[in-house]
């Protein structure tokens, strides 16, 4: 009995020791689950927000007409102000401010802050030296702009975690100002902490369970259960590896989508695709093709991982495009090789039609690398997700380009409109001020156009305007811009042209239009003539409106003198001249009044 009792006591003591050990481990794990997620999440968010802040700063700096002047003077035109005001609605920033080099606020989403000064030591010690300053704070909801529109009936006494990031703005290594971004991380922080705690609880539970099983196997010396535990551990490791792989794929897909949506051109987009696909699908070489504007061929745009792409392929040469769905070579007993995949060495490949808004816009071609065929087949779903991301990005870039083109083009003639002309003229004047190159402006008006419209109809009038617009556009060279500013009025911006050259160009344009023959139906329309006015920078003005007014006045002078001729704006004591319909120059000299 004594031995039995001693054995029972020893047995109980051993189990008690194991139980206490497990309880201690559980308490330690519980403390870690509660304490560790917050600093880990905040460190992760810091890295992510700093990357986003760089993108926000780049968007602001690239959009501003002249960032250095804006940050120095605080002068912001209406277009830039509209962009800056709308930025919080299009990003995670709820508030931001622009500073000059002294720390004075030159622009803010809160207008009342303009003129205030940032006197903090870190601004002078860190930000002014080109260093990013990151600060996380807990503030009441009343301090967060626009939050009441999203959160409903939330008490103002509630606190939120917000981040302030001071991003220095430099030019040629010189500090020219700073941008301070405010973003609310409360929801994201709480979500990540909760998820991390759940993951830690699961991992801790699995670890404690594994430890209990190992202790039990060790205590009972049961090899069978020990082998079972090893198998279970291997499964868990495999599951964890799958989860880590899935998390990495999701992260890379998210980053791919973010970068693709921020691309400004198709060339930039395809460069991003090449770099990301190398990491997302390392077991495959690939290439991307996009339909040309004529939609009769697809143009090769990018390739990666040792893959190559042809300059052009025909849609009939791809089984994926012909069948309208993904084609996988090597998955069936009988397969057919696409023409664009030649020469073929037998490796399996995918052809993913790239679809956007119900229309096929391109092709994603992936081929397995040697000795990685098994991994390649498993990656089909991930490759399909990549194709979908690429398709939406291509559609967005094309739509953005189309909308931009529509906003600056005249729909009838295809020339630039008045808005684009004003912006271009302002930039040309600024360039002339900096470099001293000459600049001239030509105003054109179709003679007797109203009478022509009334006699032959508006359709014939539209044909005349298109013909004049085509002639003016053909007469432009290099950086010269032809615009239709309304009705039968056109203007041409001629940088790098001396005043004499500009007058000669105007006369050539007048002669070219006069030589145009327009047929409407089965008859030829009457001869088209134009009246032309020319103004020069800075002789006739240093502002866009002054140059335009001077050119218009010269144009009306040409009309008053009989039309179908070129007149130079008056306004300088130098000799000015005009050309009549026969190309003979008429000169006047001496001081005259400004036109």
């Amino acid at each position: 009995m004594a031995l039995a009792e001693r054995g029972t006591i020893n047995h109980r003591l051993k189990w008690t020791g194991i139980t206490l050990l497990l309880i201690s481990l559980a308490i330690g794990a519980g403390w870690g689950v509660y304490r560790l997620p917050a600093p880990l999440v905040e460190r992760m968010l810091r890295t992510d927000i700093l990357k986003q802040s760089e993108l926000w700063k780049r968007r602001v700096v690239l959009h501003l007409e002249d960032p250095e002047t804006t940050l120095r003077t605080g002068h912001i035109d209406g277009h830039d102000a509209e962009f800056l005001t709308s930025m919080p609605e299009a990003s995670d920033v709820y508030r931001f401010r622009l500073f000059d080099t002294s720390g004075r606020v030159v622009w803010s989403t809160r207008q009342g802050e303009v003129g205030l000064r940032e006197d903090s030591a870190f601004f002078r010690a860190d930000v002014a030296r080109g260093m990013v300053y990151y600060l996380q704070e807990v503030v009441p909801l009343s301090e967060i702009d626009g939050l009441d529109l999203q959160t409903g009936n939330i008490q103002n006494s509630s606190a939120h975690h917000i981040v302030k990031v001071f991003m220095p703005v430099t030019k040629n290594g010189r500090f020219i100002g700073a941008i301070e971004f405010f973003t609310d991380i409360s929801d994201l922080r709480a979500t990540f902490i909760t998820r991390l705690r759940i993951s830690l609880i699961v991992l801790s539970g699995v670890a404690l369970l594994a430890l209990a099983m190992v202790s039990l196997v060790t205590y009972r010396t049961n090899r069978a259960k020990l082998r079972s535990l090893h198998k279970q551990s291997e499964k868990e490791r495999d599951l964890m590896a799958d989860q880590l792989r899935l998390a990495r794929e999701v992260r890379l897909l998210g980053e791919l989508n973010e970068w693709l949506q921020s691309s400004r051109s198709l060339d930039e987009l395809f460069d991003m695709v090449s770099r990301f696909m190398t990491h997302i699908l390392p077991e495959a070489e690939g290439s991307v093709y996009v339909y040309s504007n004529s939609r009769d061929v697809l143009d090769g745009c990018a390739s990666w991982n040792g893959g190559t792409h042809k300059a052009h392929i025909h849609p009939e040469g791809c089984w994926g495009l012909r069948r309208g769905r993904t084609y996988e070579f090597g998955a069936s007993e009988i397969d057919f090789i696409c023409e664009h995949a030649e020469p073929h060495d037998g490796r399996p490949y995918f052809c993913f039609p790239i679809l956007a808004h119900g229309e096929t816009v391109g092709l994603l071609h992936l081929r397995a690398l040697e000795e990685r065929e098994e991994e390649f087949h498993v990656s089909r779903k991930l490759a399909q997700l990549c194709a979908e991301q690429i398709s939406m990005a291509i559609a967005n870039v094309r739509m953005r380009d189309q909308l931009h083109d529509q906003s600056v083009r005249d729909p009838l003639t295809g020339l630039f409109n008045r808005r684009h002309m004003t912006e271009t003229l302002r930039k040309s004047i600024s360039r002339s001020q900096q470099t001293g190159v000459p600049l001239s402006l030509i105003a054109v008006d179709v003679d007797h156009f109203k009478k022509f419209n009334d006699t032959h109809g508006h359709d014939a009038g539209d044909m005349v305007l298109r013909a004049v617009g085509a002639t003016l556009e053909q007469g432009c060279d290099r950086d010269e811009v032809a615009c239709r500013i309304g009705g039968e009025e056109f203007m041409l911006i001629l940088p790098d042209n001396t005043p004499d050259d500009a007058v000669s160009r105007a006369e050539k344009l007048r002669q070219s239009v006069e030589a145009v023959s327009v047929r409407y139906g089965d008859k030829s329309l009457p001869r088209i003539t134009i009246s032309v006015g020319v103004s020069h920078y800075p002789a006739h003005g240093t502002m866009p409106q002054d140059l335009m007014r001077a050119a218009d006045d010269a144009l009306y002078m040409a009309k008053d003198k009989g039309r179908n001729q070129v007149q130079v704006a008056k306004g300088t004591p130098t000799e000015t001249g005009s050309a009549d319909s026969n190309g003979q120059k008429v000169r006047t000299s001496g001081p005259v009044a400004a036109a």
Side-chain angles (χ1 to χ4, degrees):
M1 291 295 294
L3 292 175
E5 289 178 358
R6 188 180 300 128
T8 301
I9 292 173
N10 290 336
H11 178 78
R12 290 178 178 177
L13 288 175
K14 290 179 180 179
W15 275 105
T16 301
I18 294 174
T19 302
L20 291 175
L21 176 61
L22 293 176
I23 291 175
S24 301
L25 291 175
I27 293 174
W31 180 88
V33 166
Y34 179 77
R35 298 289 296 179
L36 291 179
L40 292 176
V41 168
E42 289 174 357
R43 183 178 301 176
M44 178 184 65
L45 288 177
R46 176 190 177 95
T47 302
D48 185 64
I49 290 174
L50 288 176
K51 292 181 179 178
Q52 293 189 43
S53 298
E54 188 64 31
L55 294 177
W56 296 335
K57 183 188 79 172
R58 189 181 306 171
R59 288 174 58 187
V60 173
V61 172
L62 290 179
H63 190 88
L64 291 177
E65 181 76 21
D66 188 348
E68 182 175 5
T69 302
T70 299
L71 292 174
R72 185 180 70 251
T73 65
H75 175 71
I76 299 176
D77 60 24
H79 182 69
D80 289 343
E82 181 181 358
F83 167 78
L84 294 175
T85 303
S86 63
M87 183 175 174
E89 300 177 3
S91 66
D92 293 333
V93 177
Y94 72 84
R95 173 187 168 201
F96 69 102
R97 302 189 292 184
L98 307 183
F99 296 88
D100 61 14
T101 55
S102 66
R104 184 178 63 88
V105 178
V106 298
W107 188 90
S108 173
T109 50
R110 295 181 178 180
Q111 293 300 318
E113 294 180 344
V114 175
L116 299 180
R117 190 174 301 276
E118 180 60 59
D119 294 324
S120 302
F122 66 81
F123 190 90
R124 298 184 301 273
D126 297 331
V127 180
R129 296 171 61 188
M131 300 172 62
V132 177
Y133 187 81
Y134 179 98
L135 177 62
Q136 180 176 334
E137 295 180 342
V138 178
V139 301
L141 291 180
S142 58
E143 291 293 324
I144 302 179
D145 297 343
L147 189 61
D148 55 336
L149 299 177
Q150 305 172 13
T151 58
N153 298 323
I154 296 181
Q155 298 297 326
N156 286 336
S157 59
S158 300
H160 266 219
H161 290 263
I162 64 104
V163 167
K164 298 193 295 185
V165 183
F166 286 80
M167 300 295 296
V169 182
T170 59
K171 182 177 181 181
N172 298 327
R174 180 170 51 86
F175 177 68
I176 63 174
I179 306 176
E180 180 184 16
F181 296 105
F182 295 75
T183 182
D184 183 5
I185 64 170
S186 298
D187 294 338
L188 196 60
R189 177 178 179 274
T191 300
F192 282 178
I193 288 177
T194 301
R195 291 180 179 177
L196 187 55
R197 282 175 177 168
I198 293 174
S199 299
L200 290 176
I201 290 173
V202 173
L203 294 176
S204 300
V206 171
L208 290 174
L209 178 61
L211 180 59
M213 294 178 65
V214 169
S215 300
L216 181 62
V217 170
T218 303
Y219 180 71
R220 294 184 177 182
T221 65
N222 190 327
R223 289 185 175 273
K225 290 187 178 181
L226 182 60
R227 286 194 298 267
S228 176
L229 180 60
H230 287 326
K231 292 181 180 179
Q232 182 67 24
S233 299
E234 290 176 0
K235 290 180 180 179
E236 291 173 357
R237 284 197 298 270
D238 293 340
L239 178 61
M240 184 62 65
D242 291 340
Q243 291 177 346
L244 293 175
R245 177 182 56 81
L246 179 60
R248 176 180 178 273
E249 292 174 354
V250 170
R251 176 177 57 81
L252 288 175
L253 282 174
E255 293 178 358
L256 172 63
N257 178 65
E258 180 182 349
W259 281 101
L260 292 183
Q261 295 305 320
S262 64
S263 60
R264 303 176 62 185
S265 65
L266 287 178
D267 291 338
E268 187 178 50
L269 183 146
F270 292 130
D271 180 62
M272 294 177 180
V273 168
S274 300
R275 297 180 63 180
F276 267 92
M277 294 297 286
T278 301
H279 295 276
I280 296 177
L281 296 172
E283 66 278 352
E285 63 182 45
S287 55
V288 174
Y289 295 87
V290 174
Y291 269 103
S292 63
N293 292 332
S294 60
R295 292 194 64 82
D296 55 346
V297 297
L298 290 92
D299 301 327
C301 299
S303 56
W304 56 89
N305 274 359
T308 59
H309 60 273
K310 300 179 180 179
H312 307 286
I313 65 172
H314 291 278
E316 296 81 6
C318 176
W319 290 107
L321 295 176
R322 289 176 63 177
R323 300 166 73 187
R325 56 188 176 87
T326 301
Y327 176 64
E328 181 178 357
F329 179 87
S332 303
E333 185 175 351
I334 300 176
D335 289 309
F336 296 94
I337 302 174
C338 300
E339 290 181 6
H340 65 85
E342 296 287 0
H344 188 60
D345 55 7
R347 286 180 290 165
Y349 67 80
F350 296 132
C351 288
F352 295 99
I354 300 177
L355 305 175
H357 306 305
E359 179 185 8
T360 303
V361 298
L363 171 70
L364 173 62
H365 175 69
L366 299 174
R367 179 181 297 182
L369 295 178
E370 294 183 2
E371 300 181 357
R372 304 193 68 174
E373 287 83 356
E374 183 177 352
E375 300 174 52
F376 178 76
H377 286 293
V378 175
S379 67
R380 172 170 177 167
K381 185 176 181 180
L382 179 60
Q384 182 71 53
L385 293 175
C386 292
E388 294 174 1
Q389 298 274 22
I390 295 170
S391 67
M392 293 305 300
I394 292 175
N396 289 340
V397 171
R398 284 188 167 179
M399 182 178 297
R400 185 164 58 244
D401 292 343
Q402 182 180 6
L403 291 175
H404 177 266
D405 197 54
Q406 291 175 354
S407 69
V408 299
R409 292 283 184 178
D410 170 54
L412 178 63
T413 62
L415 300 180
F416 290 109
N417 57 21
R418 187 184 188 96
R419 171 188 173 187
H420 182 78
M421 185 211 69
T422 304
E423 294 179 357
T424 304
L425 181 58
R426 183 169 60 248
K427 293 178 181 178
S428 299
I429 291 175
S430 176
R431 176 172 172 264
S432 295
Q433 291 174 341
Q434 296 174 2
T435 63
V437 297
L439 172 66
S440 297
L441 186 64
I442 296 178
V444 176
D445 187 273
V446 181
D447 294 332
H448 301 295
F449 184 73
K450 184 178 184 305
K451 181 179 178 181
F452 187 95
N453 248 357
D454 295 339
T455 304
H456 300 280
H458 291 286
D459 291 341
D462 289 346
M463 293 183 65
V464 168
L465 293 177
R466 282 193 287 267
V468 172
T471 303
L472 298 180
E473 187 172 25
Q474 291 172 2
C476 291
D477 190 18
R478 301 186 304 277
D479 296 331
E480 300 167 355
V481 177
C483 310
R484 181 191 178 201
I485 61 176
E488 67 273 22
E489 298 181 6
F490 301 83
M491 277 197 175
L492 285 81
I493 303 174
L494 302 182
D496 302 322
N497 280 261
T498 64
D500 289 340
D501 290 340
V503 174
S504 299
R505 293 285 300 280
E507 174 59 23
K508 289 180 181 179
L509 290 173
R510 186 197 64 77
Q511 295 175 3
S512 298
V513 172
E514 191 176 24
V516 171
S517 177
V518 179
R519 292 190 60 83
Y520 179 64
D522 57 351
K523 64 179 180 180
S524 295
L525 296 176
R527 185 185 67 168
I528 307 170
T529 63
I530 58 175
S531 298
V532 184
V534 184
S535 63
H536 308 300
Y537 171 87
H540 301 119
T542 58
M543 299 295 290
Q545 59 269 27
D546 298 332
L547 285 177
M548 293 171 64
R549 186 183 303 110
D552 281 337
D553 290 343
L555 171 65
Y556 287 113
M557 188 189 308
K559 286 183 173 292
D560 293 340
K561 291 186 177 183
R563 295 183 170 83
N564 193 22
Q565 58 182 277
V566 176
Q567 287 288 332
V568 179
K570 296 180 179 179
T572 66
T574 59
E575 186 178 71
T576 60
S578 64
D580 60 14
S581 59
N582 296 321
Q584 300 297 321
K585 288 189 176 180
V586 180
R587 298 204 175 265
T588 60
S589 61
V592 294

